[in-house]
Amino acid sequence: MNLTQLKYFKAVGIYQSVSMAAEYLHISQPSLSSAIKDLEDEFGIQLFKRTHKGMILTNEGNELLERATKLLSHAEAVERVMQDMGNRKKSLHLGIPPMIGSLVLSKILGDFAVANPDITLDITEGGRSELLNLADDGLIDMLILPHYDSFDSRFNVLRIGQLETACCVSKKSPLSKLSTIQPSDLMHSPIVLFKNSFFQTELILNWFSKSNISPNIVIQSSQLSTIENLVASGNGAGFMFKELTKENQKIKAISLNNPLKLDVSLVWKKQSVVFSSMKRFYNYVKNTSLLAK
């Protein structure tokens, strides 16, 4: 068994298809099939059930996939540590939700990237829970996340600032005349939300639930531009940070009856390897007003 075989096995386990895994790895299908067969012969077990629907992991295959994923993550970490110690180009994997990204990415890709040309930035956008899971698995180095409560003890936190979530409607909507808004005001309005994996969506659904109101959700998306365009065109009420709507002449941001203000922090996993790129980004964030304090 070697790391290359495990890498091939993991790809087939994830894609459940030799052809798709081969395309992803940029190798031939026979080479991939041979690697899987060699592993099965070495261990004397069947790792996959070959069906017309694809390659389905056996119980033994699932066990190997779990262990191989951890082993490969450790191997990648070792490789990054050694590269970090050398003079090769360094990397920084950042996780940022779309709304936060719209507020801070231009500064990061400008100021930080220009000041650190030897660091390659890899940006992943997604919901809070999804990004935390990726960080927990060692696939993301640092996160910039909104939060209402404190993070658990697995993570280090550096507070950046605070943002307010508001109900956003078209300025042509009758709701735009309100100074604050409560769930009952939205009983007959279509609602557009981010997907359920997004932290803010969880808070908004709880806001409705406390008033025993079921919102009329017409669409959920992971794309900020989609939500913003639907709100601006009058197709629904949405929920975004007030700071994002200041330049949009078609949207009115209305504070909730109980204002929803969220802290925004730089987050990274404790006991993980701290690369020099992470130290530099920490110092940059600490000394830069990415958001109003």
Side-chain angles (χ1 to χ4, degrees):
M1 179 187 74
N2 57 52
L3 291 177
T4 299
Q5 289 174 319
L6 291 180
K7 181 179 178 181
Y8 291 176
F9 162 76
K10 179 184 175 183
V12 177
I14 291 174
Y15 285 100
Q16 296 186 349
S17 165
V18 171
S19 60
M20 292 177 65
E23 182 177 354
Y24 166 74
L25 294 167
H26 303 292
I27 64 171
S28 68
Q29 292 186 39
S31 296
L32 193 51
S33 297
S34 177
I36 299 300
K37 184 177 184 305
D38 287 345
L39 284 175
E40 291 182 324
D41 289 345
E42 179 179 350
F43 300 141
I45 57 176
Q46 184 178 359
L47 297 172
F48 293 97
K49 294 178 182 176
R50 281 77 169 171
T51 72
H52 67 283
K53 294 182 179 180
M55 301 282 283
I56 309 300
L57 285 164
T58 62
N59 290 336
E60 294 82 0
N62 275 308
E63 179 70 20
L64 180 59
L65 180 61
E66 180 179 346
R67 294 178 181 274
T69 299
K70 293 178 181 178
L71 181 58
L72 289 169
S73 295
H74 284 303
E76 290 167 6
V78 169
E79 183 178 12
R80 284 193 65 194
V81 168
M82 300 314 297
Q83 289 176 343
D84 194 64
M85 293 173 66
N87 295 319
R88 295 188 177 182
K89 198 171 179 76
K90 305 179 192 312
S91 63
L92 178 65
H93 303 294
L94 290 177
I96 307 178
M99 279 201 294
I100 299 293
S102 294
L103 294 170
V104 304
L105 270 183
S106 60
K107 287 185 178 180
I108 293 172
L109 295 176
D111 299 343
F112 180 78
V114 170
N116 297 274
D118 60 323
I119 296 177
T120 299
L121 287 174
D122 182 359
I123 310 293
T124 299
E125 288 194 314
R128 180 177 182 268
S129 59
E130 173 191 359
L131 294 175
L132 280 170
N133 286 335
L134 289 172
D136 201 26
D137 290 339
L139 301 176
I140 289 181
D141 299 326
M142 307 183 96
L143 314 167
I144 298 178
L145 294 178
H147 58 103
Y148 193 72
D149 298 314
S150 60
F151 288 90
D152 65 48
S153 59
R154 291 175 299 157
F155 296 97
N156 292 305
V157 178
L158 172 66
R159 185 179 181 276
I160 297 172
Q162 190 178 70
L163 296 170
E164 180 182 353
T165 296
C167 178
C168 299
V169 299
S170 166
K171 287 189 175 179
K172 295 180 179 180
S173 167
L175 294 171
S176 65
K177 297 180 174 62
L178 297 175
S179 57
T180 62
I181 200 163
Q182 55 190 350
S184 58
D185 295 324
L186 298 169
M187 286 182 64
H188 305 295
S189 296
I191 304 296
V192 293
L193 293 177
F194 287 99
K195 291 187 175 181
N196 289 335
S197 60
F198 284 65
F199 175 62
Q200 190 186 61
T201 297
E202 177 185 340
L203 296 178
I204 294 303
L205 292 177
N206 286 337
W207 179 67
F208 278 108
S209 178
K210 288 177 180 178
S211 296
N212 294 316
I213 290 176
S214 297
N216 176 27
I217 302 171
V218 293
I219 191 170
Q220 289 185 258
S221 173
S222 61
Q223 300 299 314
L224 173 61
S225 59
T226 299
I227 302 293
E228 193 171 9
N229 289 335
L230 287 169
V231 171
S233 60
N235 288 310
F239 296 86
M240 293 178 282
F241 293 130
K242 267 191 174 182
E243 288 74 7
L244 281 174
T245 64
K246 288 180 179 179
E247 304 300 323
N248 195 317
Q249 301 300 315
K250 296 181 178 181
I251 291 178
K252 169 73 178 294
I254 309 168
S255 293
L256 307 188
N257 57 329
N258 293 314
L260 180 54
K261 295 184 179 181
L262 301 176
D263 286 331
V264 180
S265 296
L266 179 67
V267 181
W268 66 102
K269 190 178 178 183
K270 290 180 179 178
Q271 298 178 340
S272 63
V273 177
V274 180
F275 301 106
S276 60
S277 58
M278 295 171 64
K279 293 178 182 177
R280 278 195 254 170
F281 190 72
Y282 171 89
N283 290 326
Y284 164 76
V285 170
K286 188 176 180 180
N287 297 297
T288 304
S289 297
L290 283 178
L291 298 171
K293 297 289 184 181

